[in-house]
PDB file of all heavy atoms in Angstrom:
ATOM      1  N   MET A  27      16.330 -40.196  44.474  1.00 98.00           N
ATOM      2  CA  MET A  27      16.488 -40.739  45.832  1.00 98.00           C
ATOM      3  C   MET A  27      17.855 -41.422  45.968  1.00 98.00           C
ATOM      4  O   MET A  27      18.608 -41.195  46.933  1.00 98.00           O
ATOM      5  CB  MET A  27      15.372 -41.731  46.158  1.00 98.00           C
ATOM      6  CG  MET A  27      15.515 -42.425  47.499  1.00 98.00           C
ATOM      7  SD  MET A  27      14.165 -43.623  47.828  1.00 98.00           S
ATOM      8  CE  MET A  27      12.993 -42.538  48.647  1.00 98.00           C
ATOM      9  N   LEU A  28      18.190 -42.248  44.986  1.00 98.00           N
ATOM     10  CA  LEU A  28      19.482 -42.932  44.975  1.00 98.00           C
ATOM     11  C   LEU A  28      20.639 -41.925  44.913  1.00 98.00           C
ATOM     12  O   LEU A  28      21.622 -42.033  45.654  1.00 98.00           O
ATOM     13  CB  LEU A  28      19.577 -43.886  43.792  1.00 98.00           C
ATOM     14  CG  LEU A  28      18.919 -45.237  43.914  1.00 98.00           C
ATOM     15  CD1 LEU A  28      18.821 -45.921  42.545  1.00 98.00           C
ATOM     16  CD2 LEU A  28      19.692 -46.131  44.890  1.00 98.00           C
ATOM     17  N   SER A  29      20.511 -40.927  44.015  1.00 98.00           N
ATOM     18  CA  SER A  29      21.578 -39.961  43.839  1.00 98.00           C
ATOM     19  C   SER A  29      21.830 -39.171  45.131  1.00 98.00           C
ATOM     20  O   SER A  29      22.994 -38.922  45.495  1.00 98.00           O
ATOM     21  CB  SER A  29      21.213 -38.984  42.715  1.00 98.00           C
ATOM     22  OG  SER A  29      20.979 -39.670  41.498  1.00 98.00           O
ATOM     23  N   THR A  30      20.752 -38.803  45.799  1.00 98.00           N
ATOM     24  CA  THR A  30      20.874 -38.067  47.032  1.00 98.00           C
ATOM     25  C   THR A  30      21.506 -38.933  48.130  1.00 98.00           C
ATOM     26  O   THR A  30      22.410 -38.487  48.861  1.00 98.00           O
ATOM     27  CB  THR A  30      19.497 -37.566  47.503  1.00 98.00           C
ATOM     28  OG1 THR A  30      18.899 -36.809  46.459  1.00 98.00           O
ATOM     29  CG2 THR A  30      19.612 -36.715  48.753  1.00 98.00           C
ATOM     30  N   PHE A  31      21.051 -40.170  48.227  1.00 98.00           N
ATOM     31  CA  PHE A  31      21.549 -41.074  49.255  1.00 98.00           C
ATOM     32  C   PHE A  31      23.049 -41.352  49.060  1.00 98.00           C
ATOM     33  O   PHE A  31      23.836 -41.274  50.003  1.00 98.00           O
ATOM     34  CB  PHE A  31      20.763 -42.383  49.202  1.00 98.00           C
ATOM     35  CG  PHE A  31      21.238 -43.418  50.173  1.00 98.00           C
ATOM     36  CD1 PHE A  31      20.980 -43.290  51.522  1.00 98.00           C
ATOM     37  CD2 PHE A  31      21.938 -44.532  49.730  1.00 98.00           C
ATOM     38  CE1 PHE A  31      21.417 -44.275  52.425  1.00 98.00           C
ATOM     39  CE2 PHE A  31      22.380 -45.512  50.620  1.00 98.00           C
ATOM     40  CZ  PHE A  31      22.108 -45.371  51.970  1.00 98.00           C
ATOM     41  N   VAL A  32      23.440 -41.687  47.839  1.00 98.00           N
ATOM     42  CA  VAL A  32      24.840 -41.992  47.554  1.00 98.00           C
ATOM     43  C   VAL A  32      25.716 -40.761  47.816  1.00 98.00           C
ATOM     44  O   VAL A  32      26.790 -40.856  48.380  1.00 98.00           O
ATOM     45  CB  VAL A  32      25.018 -42.502  46.113  1.00 98.00           C
ATOM     46  CG1 VAL A  32      26.495 -42.638  45.762  1.00 98.00           C
ATOM     47  CG2 VAL A  32      24.309 -43.831  45.946  1.00 98.00           C
ATOM     48  N   SER A  33      25.209 -39.578  47.443  1.00 98.00           N
ATOM     49  CA  SER A  33      25.974 -38.339  47.648  1.00 98.00           C
ATOM     50  C   SER A  33      26.119 -38.050  49.139  1.00 98.00           C
ATOM     51  O   SER A  33      27.175 -37.564  49.586  1.00 98.00           O
ATOM     52  CB  SER A  33      25.284 -37.180  46.948  1.00 98.00           C
ATOM     53  OG  SER A  33      25.231 -37.386  45.538  1.00 98.00           O
ATOM     54  N   ALA A  34      25.081 -38.349  49.921  1.00 98.00           N
ATOM     55  CA  ALA A  34      25.185 -38.179  51.363  1.00 98.00           C
ATOM     56  C   ALA A  34      26.201 -39.164  51.947  1.00 98.00           C
ATOM     57  O   ALA A  34      27.002 -38.814  52.818  1.00 98.00           O
ATOM     58  CB  ALA A  34      23.817 -38.388  52.022  1.00 98.00           C
ATOM     59  N   GLN A  35      26.182 -40.400  51.433  1.00 98.00           N
ATOM     60  CA  GLN A  35      27.159 -41.399  51.859  1.00 98.00           C
ATOM     61  C   GLN A  35      28.594 -40.917  51.583  1.00 98.00           C
ATOM     62  O   GLN A  35      29.490 -41.133  52.389  1.00 98.00           O
ATOM     63  CB  GLN A  35      26.922 -42.723  51.135  1.00 98.00           C
ATOM     64  CG  GLN A  35      25.705 -43.493  51.598  1.00 98.00           C
ATOM     65  CD  GLN A  35      26.040 -44.459  52.712  1.00 98.00           C
ATOM     66  OE1 GLN A  35      26.848 -45.360  52.527  1.00 98.00           O
ATOM     67  NE2 GLN A  35      25.452 -44.247  53.873  1.00 98.00           N
ATOM     68  N   ASN A  36      28.751 -40.286  50.436  1.00 98.00           N
ATOM     69  CA  ASN A  36      30.089 -39.828  50.008  1.00 98.00           C
ATOM     70  C   ASN A  36      30.427 -38.428  50.488  1.00 98.00           C
ATOM     71  O   ASN A  36      31.449 -37.872  50.111  1.00 98.00           O
ATOM     72  CB  ASN A  36      30.187 -39.882  48.477  1.00 98.00           C
ATOM     73  CG  ASN A  36      30.231 -41.292  47.959  1.00 98.00           C
ATOM     74  OD1 ASN A  36      30.787 -42.174  48.578  1.00 98.00           O
ATOM     75  ND2 ASN A  36      29.661 -41.513  46.769  1.00 98.00           N
ATOM     76  N   GLN A  37      29.540 -37.857  51.332  1.00 98.00           N
ATOM     77  CA  GLN A  37      29.755 -36.542  51.934  1.00 98.00           C
ATOM     78  C   GLN A  37      29.996 -35.464  50.873  1.00 98.00           C
ATOM     79  O   GLN A  37      30.913 -34.658  50.980  1.00 98.00           O
ATOM     80  CB  GLN A  37      30.919 -36.579  52.946  1.00 98.00           C
ATOM     81  CG  GLN A  37      30.685 -37.549  54.079  1.00 98.00           C
ATOM     82  CD  GLN A  37      31.821 -37.564  55.082  1.00 98.00           C
ATOM     83  OE1 GLN A  37      32.224 -36.519  55.611  1.00 98.00           O
ATOM     84  NE2 GLN A  37      32.377 -38.756  55.352  1.00 98.00           N
ATOM     85  N   CYS A  38      29.159 -35.494  49.847  1.00 98.00           N
ATOM     86  CA  CYS A  38      29.220 -34.497  48.788  1.00 98.00           C
ATOM     87  C   CYS A  38      28.047 -33.548  48.950  1.00 98.00           C
ATOM     88  O   CYS A  38      26.912 -33.831  48.524  1.00 98.00           O
ATOM     89  CB  CYS A  38      29.180 -35.170  47.405  1.00 98.00           C
ATOM     90  SG  CYS A  38      29.253 -33.976  46.051  1.00 98.00           S
ATOM     91  N   ALA A  39      28.291 -32.406  49.582  1.00 97.00           N
ATOM     92  CA  ALA A  39      27.212 -31.465  49.881  1.00 97.00           C
ATOM     93  C   ALA A  39      26.575 -30.906  48.617  1.00 97.00           C
ATOM     94  O   ALA A  39      25.343 -30.706  48.563  1.00 97.00           O
ATOM     95  CB  ALA A  39      27.763 -30.337  50.749  1.00 97.00           C
ATOM     96  N   TYR A  40      27.371 -30.643  47.596  1.00 98.00           N
ATOM     97  CA  TYR A  40      26.846 -30.082  46.344  1.00 98.00           C
ATOM     98  C   TYR A  40      25.833 -31.034  45.711  1.00 98.00           C
ATOM     99  O   TYR A  40      24.705 -30.636  45.363  1.00 98.00           O
ATOM    100  CB  TYR A  40      28.004 -29.817  45.375  1.00 98.00           C
ATOM    101  CG  TYR A  40      27.613 -29.358  43.998  1.00 98.00           C
ATOM    102  CD1 TYR A  40      27.588 -28.012  43.674  1.00 98.00           C
ATOM    103  CD2 TYR A  40      27.277 -30.271  43.005  1.00 98.00           C
ATOM    104  CE1 TYR A  40      27.228 -27.599  42.396  1.00 98.00           C
ATOM    105  CE2 TYR A  40      26.902 -29.861  41.722  1.00 98.00           C
ATOM    106  CZ  TYR A  40      26.878 -28.512  41.433  1.00 98.00           C
ATOM    107  OH  TYR A  40      26.524 -28.118  40.171  1.00 98.00           O
ATOM    108  N   CYS A  41      26.214 -32.304  45.535  1.00 98.00           N
ATOM    109  CA  CYS A  41      25.322 -33.261  44.862  1.00 98.00           C
ATOM    110  C   CYS A  41      24.147 -33.664  45.750  1.00 98.00           C
ATOM    111  O   CYS A  41      23.021 -33.824  45.233  1.00 98.00           O
ATOM    112  CB  CYS A  41      26.103 -34.500  44.451  1.00 98.00           C
ATOM    113  SG  CYS A  41      27.299 -34.216  43.134  1.00 98.00           S
ATOM    114  N   ALA A  42      24.371 -33.802  47.054  1.00 98.00           N
ATOM    115  CA  ALA A  42      23.257 -34.157  47.944  1.00 98.00           C
ATOM    116  C   ALA A  42      22.189 -33.071  47.928  1.00 98.00           C
ATOM    117  O   ALA A  42      20.997 -33.349  47.908  1.00 98.00           O
ATOM    118  CB  ALA A  42      23.781 -34.401  49.354  1.00 98.00           C
ATOM    119  N   ASP A  43      22.640 -31.817  47.915  1.00 97.00           N
ATOM    120  CA  ASP A  43      21.690 -30.697  47.893  1.00 97.00           C
ATOM    121  C   ASP A  43      20.952 -30.643  46.550  1.00 97.00           C
ATOM    122  O   ASP A  43      19.722 -30.556  46.507  1.00 97.00           O
ATOM    123  CB  ASP A  43      22.435 -29.386  48.127  1.00 97.00           C
ATOM    124  CG  ASP A  43      21.559 -28.168  47.910  1.00 97.00           C
ATOM    125  OD1 ASP A  43      20.697 -27.901  48.763  1.00 97.00           O
ATOM    126  OD2 ASP A  43      21.742 -27.470  46.887  1.00 97.00           O
ATOM    127  N   SER A  44      21.687 -30.698  45.431  1.00 96.00           N
ATOM    128  CA  SER A  44      21.033 -30.521  44.124  1.00 96.00           C
ATOM    129  C   SER A  44      20.100 -31.685  43.805  1.00 96.00           C
ATOM    130  O   SER A  44      18.993 -31.485  43.283  1.00 96.00           O
ATOM    131  CB  SER A  44      22.074 -30.348  43.031  1.00 96.00           C
ATOM    132  OG  SER A  44      22.896 -31.485  42.894  1.00 96.00           O
ATOM    133  N   HIS A  45      20.495 -32.903  44.163  1.00 97.00           N
ATOM    134  CA  HIS A  45      19.623 -34.044  43.869  1.00 97.00           C
ATOM    135  C   HIS A  45      18.550 -34.235  44.940  1.00 97.00           C
ATOM    136  O   HIS A  45      17.483 -34.782  44.643  1.00 97.00           O
ATOM    137  CB  HIS A  45      20.476 -35.295  43.639  1.00 97.00           C
ATOM    138  CG  HIS A  45      21.242 -35.210  42.370  1.00 97.00           C
ATOM    139  ND1 HIS A  45      20.686 -35.508  41.144  1.00 97.00           N
ATOM    140  CD2 HIS A  45      22.508 -34.770  42.101  1.00 97.00           C
ATOM    141  CE1 HIS A  45      21.569 -35.287  40.187  1.00 97.00           C
ATOM    142  NE2 HIS A  45      22.669 -34.837  40.739  1.00 97.00           N
ATOM    143  N   GLY A  46      18.807 -33.748  46.133  1.00 97.00           N
ATOM    144  CA  GLY A  46      17.727 -33.691  47.123  1.00 97.00           C
ATOM    145  C   GLY A  46      16.635 -32.733  46.653  1.00 97.00           C
ATOM    146  O   GLY A  46      15.430 -33.010  46.799  1.00 97.00           O
ATOM    147  N   PHE A  47      17.037 -31.613  46.087  1.00 96.00           N
ATOM    148  CA  PHE A  47      16.106 -30.651  45.485  1.00 96.00           C
ATOM    149  C   PHE A  47      15.303 -31.328  44.384  1.00 96.00           C
ATOM    150  O   PHE A  47      14.061 -31.224  44.326  1.00 96.00           O
ATOM    151  CB  PHE A  47      16.906 -29.470  44.936  1.00 96.00           C
ATOM    152  CG  PHE A  47      16.138 -28.535  44.062  1.00 96.00           C
ATOM    153  CD1 PHE A  47      15.249 -27.595  44.592  1.00 96.00           C
ATOM    154  CD2 PHE A  47      16.304 -28.558  42.675  1.00 96.00           C
ATOM    155  CE1 PHE A  47      14.550 -26.732  43.765  1.00 96.00           C
ATOM    156  CE2 PHE A  47      15.603 -27.680  41.851  1.00 96.00           C
ATOM    157  CZ  PHE A  47      14.726 -26.766  42.380  1.00 96.00           C
ATOM    158  N   SER A  48      15.988 -32.045  43.504  1.00 96.00           N
ATOM    159  CA  SER A  48      15.291 -32.744  42.416  1.00 96.00           C
ATOM    160  C   SER A  48      14.335 -33.802  42.953  1.00 96.00           C
ATOM    161  O   SER A  48      13.231 -33.993  42.424  1.00 96.00           O
ATOM    162  CB  SER A  48      16.296 -33.380  41.464  1.00 96.00           C
ATOM    163  OG  SER A  48      17.038 -32.391  40.773  1.00 96.00           O
ATOM    164  N   PHE A  49      14.746 -34.520  44.001  1.00 97.00           N
ATOM    165  CA  PHE A  49      13.880 -35.524  44.622  1.00 97.00           C
ATOM    166  C   PHE A  49      12.571 -34.898  45.111  1.00 97.00           C
ATOM    167  O   PHE A  49      11.495 -35.440  44.890  1.00 97.00           O
ATOM    168  CB  PHE A  49      14.626 -36.194  45.786  1.00 97.00           C
ATOM    169  CG  PHE A  49      13.793 -37.155  46.583  1.00 97.00           C
ATOM    170  CD1 PHE A  49      13.346 -38.332  46.023  1.00 97.00           C
ATOM    171  CD2 PHE A  49      13.487 -36.885  47.906  1.00 97.00           C
ATOM    172  CE1 PHE A  49      12.571 -39.236  46.768  1.00 97.00           C
ATOM    173  CE2 PHE A  49      12.729 -37.762  48.654  1.00 97.00           C
ATOM    174  CZ  PHE A  49      12.268 -38.940  48.084  1.00 97.00           C
ATOM    175  N   ARG A  50      12.675 -33.724  45.721  1.00 96.00           N
ATOM    176  CA  ARG A  50      11.465 -33.054  46.215  1.00 96.00           C
ATOM    177  C   ARG A  50      10.596 -32.603  45.056  1.00 96.00           C
ATOM    178  O   ARG A  50       9.371 -32.752  45.084  1.00 96.00           O
ATOM    179  CB  ARG A  50      11.850 -31.869  47.095  1.00 96.00           C
ATOM    180  CG  ARG A  50      12.485 -32.256  48.425  1.00 96.00           C
ATOM    181  CD  ARG A  50      11.450 -32.846  49.397  1.00 96.00           C
ATOM    182  NE  ARG A  50      10.698 -31.780  50.070  1.00 96.00           N
ATOM    183  CZ  ARG A  50       9.379 -31.704  50.137  1.00 96.00           C
ATOM    184  NH1 ARG A  50       8.625 -32.629  49.557  1.00 96.00           N
ATOM    185  NH2 ARG A  50       8.792 -30.726  50.777  1.00 96.00           N
ATOM    186  N   VAL A  51      11.224 -32.028  44.022  1.00 95.00           N
ATOM    187  CA  VAL A  51      10.464 -31.574  42.856  1.00 95.00           C
ATOM    188  C   VAL A  51       9.768 -32.758  42.186  1.00 95.00           C
ATOM    189  O   VAL A  51       8.653 -32.622  41.668  1.00 95.00           O
ATOM    190  CB  VAL A  51      11.370 -30.829  41.869  1.00 95.00           C
ATOM    191  CG1 VAL A  51      10.616 -30.498  40.567  1.00 95.00           C
ATOM    192  CG2 VAL A  51      11.907 -29.539  42.483  1.00 95.00           C
ATOM    193  N   GLN A  52      10.404 -33.943  42.215  1.00 96.00           N
ATOM    194  CA  GLN A  52       9.819 -35.124  41.602  1.00 96.00           C
ATOM    195  C   GLN A  52       8.782 -35.807  42.487  1.00 96.00           C
ATOM    196  O   GLN A  52       8.274 -36.877  42.135  1.00 96.00           O
ATOM    197  CB  GLN A  52      10.936 -36.118  41.252  1.00 96.00           C
ATOM    198  CG  GLN A  52      11.849 -35.672  40.140  1.00 96.00           C
ATOM    199  CD  GLN A  52      11.179 -35.567  38.797  1.00 96.00           C
ATOM    200  OE1 GLN A  52      10.252 -36.350  38.501  1.00 96.00           O
ATOM    201  NE2 GLN A  52      11.570 -34.620  37.980  1.00 96.00           N
ATOM    202  N   GLY A  53       8.449 -35.199  43.614  1.00 96.00           N
ATOM    203  CA  GLY A  53       7.349 -35.741  44.437  1.00 96.00           C
ATOM    204  C   GLY A  53       7.783 -36.462  45.703  1.00 96.00           C
ATOM    205  O   GLY A  53       6.943 -36.961  46.443  1.00 96.00           O
ATOM    206  N   GLY A  54       9.100 -36.485  45.966  1.00 97.00           N
ATOM    207  CA  GLY A  54       9.553 -37.107  47.215  1.00 97.00           C
ATOM    208  C   GLY A  54       9.134 -36.278  48.424  1.00 97.00           C
ATOM    209  O   GLY A  54       9.138 -35.049  48.386  1.00 97.00           O
ATOM    210  N   SER A  55       8.792 -36.938  49.517  1.00 96.00           N
ATOM    211  CA  SER A  55       8.321 -36.227  50.707  1.00 96.00           C
ATOM    212  C   SER A  55       9.484 -35.645  51.501  1.00 96.00           C
ATOM    213  O   SER A  55      10.646 -36.088  51.384  1.00 96.00           O
ATOM    214  CB  SER A  55       7.520 -37.167  51.615  1.00 96.00           C
ATOM    215  OG  SER A  55       8.391 -38.121  52.220  1.00 96.00           O
ATOM    216  N   GLN A  56       9.199 -34.636  52.304  1.00 96.00           N
ATOM    217  CA  GLN A  56      10.216 -34.046  53.173  1.00 96.00           C
ATOM    218  C   GLN A  56      10.739 -35.080  54.146  1.00 96.00           C
ATOM    219  O   GLN A  56      11.943 -35.135  54.435  1.00 96.00           O
ATOM    220  CB  GLN A  56       9.630 -32.849  53.927  1.00 96.00           C
ATOM    221  CG  GLN A  56      10.595 -32.170  54.880  1.00 96.00           C
ATOM    222  CD  GLN A  56      11.804 -31.548  54.185  1.00 96.00           C
ATOM    223  OE1 GLN A  56      11.714 -31.122  53.047  1.00 96.00           O
ATOM    224  NE2 GLN A  56      12.940 -31.486  54.879  1.00 96.00           N
ATOM    225  N   GLU A  57       9.849 -35.951  54.662  1.00 97.00           N
ATOM    226  CA  GLU A  57      10.286 -36.980  55.617  1.00 97.00           C
ATOM    227  C   GLU A  57      11.221 -37.988  54.963  1.00 97.00           C
ATOM    228  O   GLU A  57      12.236 -38.371  55.563  1.00 97.00           O
ATOM    229  CB  GLU A  57       9.057 -37.692  56.179  1.00 97.00           C
ATOM    230  CG  GLU A  57       8.138 -36.845  57.038  1.00 97.00           C
ATOM    231  CD  GLU A  57       7.248 -35.889  56.232  1.00 97.00           C
ATOM    232  OE1 GLU A  57       7.137 -36.061  54.990  1.00 97.00           O
ATOM    233  OE2 GLU A  57       6.695 -34.963  56.824  1.00 97.00           O
ATOM    234  N   ALA A  58      10.919 -38.380  53.708  1.00 98.00           N
ATOM    235  CA  ALA A  58      11.794 -39.303  53.020  1.00 98.00           C
ATOM    236  C   ALA A  58      13.136 -38.646  52.717  1.00 98.00           C
ATOM    237  O   ALA A  58      14.193 -39.286  52.841  1.00 98.00           O
ATOM    238  CB  ALA A  58      11.133 -39.777  51.724  1.00 98.00           C
ATOM    239  N   LEU A  59      13.103 -37.361  52.329  1.00 98.00           N
ATOM    240  CA  LEU A  59      14.354 -36.670  52.060  1.00 98.00           C
ATOM    241  C   LEU A  59      15.242 -36.620  53.303  1.00 98.00           C
ATOM    242  O   LEU A  59      16.448 -36.888  53.226  1.00 98.00           O
ATOM    243  CB  LEU A  59      14.062 -35.245  51.575  1.00 98.00           C
ATOM    244  CG  LEU A  59      15.304 -34.364  51.399  1.00 98.00           C
ATOM    245  CD1 LEU A  59      16.188 -34.903  50.285  1.00 98.00           C
ATOM    246  CD2 LEU A  59      14.912 -32.929  51.111  1.00 98.00           C
ATOM    247  N   GLU A  60      14.628 -36.290  54.433  1.00 97.00           N
ATOM    248  CA  GLU A  60      15.421 -36.211  55.668  1.00 97.00           C
ATOM    249  C   GLU A  60      16.054 -37.555  56.001  1.00 97.00           C
ATOM    250  O   GLU A  60      17.209 -37.625  56.428  1.00 97.00           O
ATOM    251  CB  GLU A  60      14.534 -35.724  56.807  1.00 97.00           C
ATOM    252  CG  GLU A  60      14.128 -34.263  56.688  1.00 97.00           C
ATOM    253  CD  GLU A  60      13.097 -33.831  57.717  1.00 97.00           C
ATOM    254  OE1 GLU A  60      12.686 -34.700  58.535  1.00 97.00           O
ATOM    255  OE2 GLU A  60      12.726 -32.635  57.715  1.00 97.00           O
ATOM    256  N   ALA A  61      15.289 -38.621  55.794  1.00 98.00           N
ATOM    257  CA  ALA A  61      15.823 -39.962  56.078  1.00 98.00           C
ATOM    258  C   ALA A  61      16.968 -40.309  55.124  1.00 98.00           C
ATOM    259  O   ALA A  61      18.002 -40.847  55.553  1.00 98.00           O
ATOM    260  CB  ALA A  61      14.702 -40.989  55.949  1.00 98.00           C
ATOM    261  N   VAL A  62      16.795 -39.973  53.855  1.00 98.00           N
ATOM    262  CA  VAL A  62      17.830 -40.275  52.862  1.00 98.00           C
ATOM    263  C   VAL A  62      19.095 -39.463  53.136  1.00 98.00           C
ATOM    264  O   VAL A  62      20.218 -39.978  53.081  1.00 98.00           O
ATOM    265  CB  VAL A  62      17.287 -39.998  51.444  1.00 98.00           C
ATOM    266  CG1 VAL A  62      18.411 -39.985  50.418  1.00 98.00           C
ATOM    267  CG2 VAL A  62      16.230 -41.038  51.058  1.00 98.00           C
ATOM    268  N   MET A  63      18.931 -38.175  53.439  1.00 98.00           N
ATOM    269  CA  MET A  63      20.094 -37.319  53.710  1.00 98.00           C
ATOM    270  C   MET A  63      20.846 -37.776  54.972  1.00 98.00           C
ATOM    271  O   MET A  63      22.076 -37.654  55.046  1.00 98.00           O
ATOM    272  CB  MET A  63      19.632 -35.875  53.876  1.00 98.00           C
ATOM    273  CG  MET A  63      19.087 -35.235  52.607  1.00 98.00           C
ATOM    274  SD  MET A  63      20.360 -34.729  51.433  1.00 98.00           S
ATOM    275  CE  MET A  63      20.739 -33.108  52.047  1.00 98.00           C
ATOM    276  N   ALA A  64      20.094 -38.297  55.921  1.00 98.00           N
ATOM    277  CA  ALA A  64      20.716 -38.807  57.154  1.00 98.00           C
ATOM    278  C   ALA A  64      21.166 -40.263  57.038  1.00 98.00           C
ATOM    279  O   ALA A  64      21.734 -40.807  57.964  1.00 98.00           O
ATOM    280  CB  ALA A  64      19.750 -38.664  58.327  1.00 98.00           C
ATOM    281  N   CYS A  65      20.873 -40.887  55.866  1.00 97.00           N
ATOM    282  CA  CYS A  65      21.189 -42.301  55.632  1.00 97.00           C
ATOM    283  C   CYS A  65      20.517 -43.174  56.680  1.00 97.00           C
ATOM    284  O   CYS A  65      21.078 -44.180  57.134  1.00 97.00           O
ATOM    285  CB  CYS A  65      22.703 -42.542  55.589  1.00 97.00           C
ATOM    286  SG  CYS A  65      23.554 -41.570  54.333  1.00 97.00           S
ATOM    287  N   HIS A  66      19.290 -42.773  57.046  1.00 97.00           N
ATOM    288  CA  HIS A  66      18.521 -43.476  58.086  1.00 97.00           C
ATOM    289  C   HIS A  66      17.452 -44.330  57.374  1.00 97.00           C
ATOM    290  O   HIS A  66      16.330 -43.905  57.150  1.00 97.00           O
ATOM    291  CB  HIS A  66      17.874 -42.474  59.025  1.00 97.00           C
ATOM    292  CG  HIS A  66      16.986 -43.081  60.067  1.00 97.00           C
ATOM    293  ND1 HIS A  66      17.353 -44.217  60.820  1.00 97.00           N
ATOM    294  CD2 HIS A  66      15.744 -42.754  60.508  1.00 97.00           C
ATOM    295  CE1 HIS A  66      16.381 -44.520  61.629  1.00 97.00           C
ATOM    296  NE2 HIS A  66      15.401 -43.649  61.474  1.00 97.00           N
TER     297      HIS A  66
END
């Protein structure tokens, strides 16, 4: 979750995507992912 959020903050599409994928595989919800990716 942290890795995805920080990568979104830093506008790193590669890291936000790969760690967002890992977040989902680790049990993170789609709603939480969308919020983290949008920094909401």
Side-chain angles (χ1 to χ4, degrees):
M27 175 181 270
L28 279 167
S29 302
T30 305
F31 177 74
V32 172
S33 298
Q35 286 270 298
N36 289 327
Q37 299 182 54
C38 180
Y40 175 96
C41 292
D43 172 74
S44 62
H45 290 277
F47 168 77
S48 293
F49 175 67
R50 291 287 279 129
V51 173
Q52 291 294 326
S55 70
Q56 179 63 30
E57 294 76 15
L59 174 65
E60 290 173 358
V62 167
M63 293 283 273
C65 303
H66 177 45

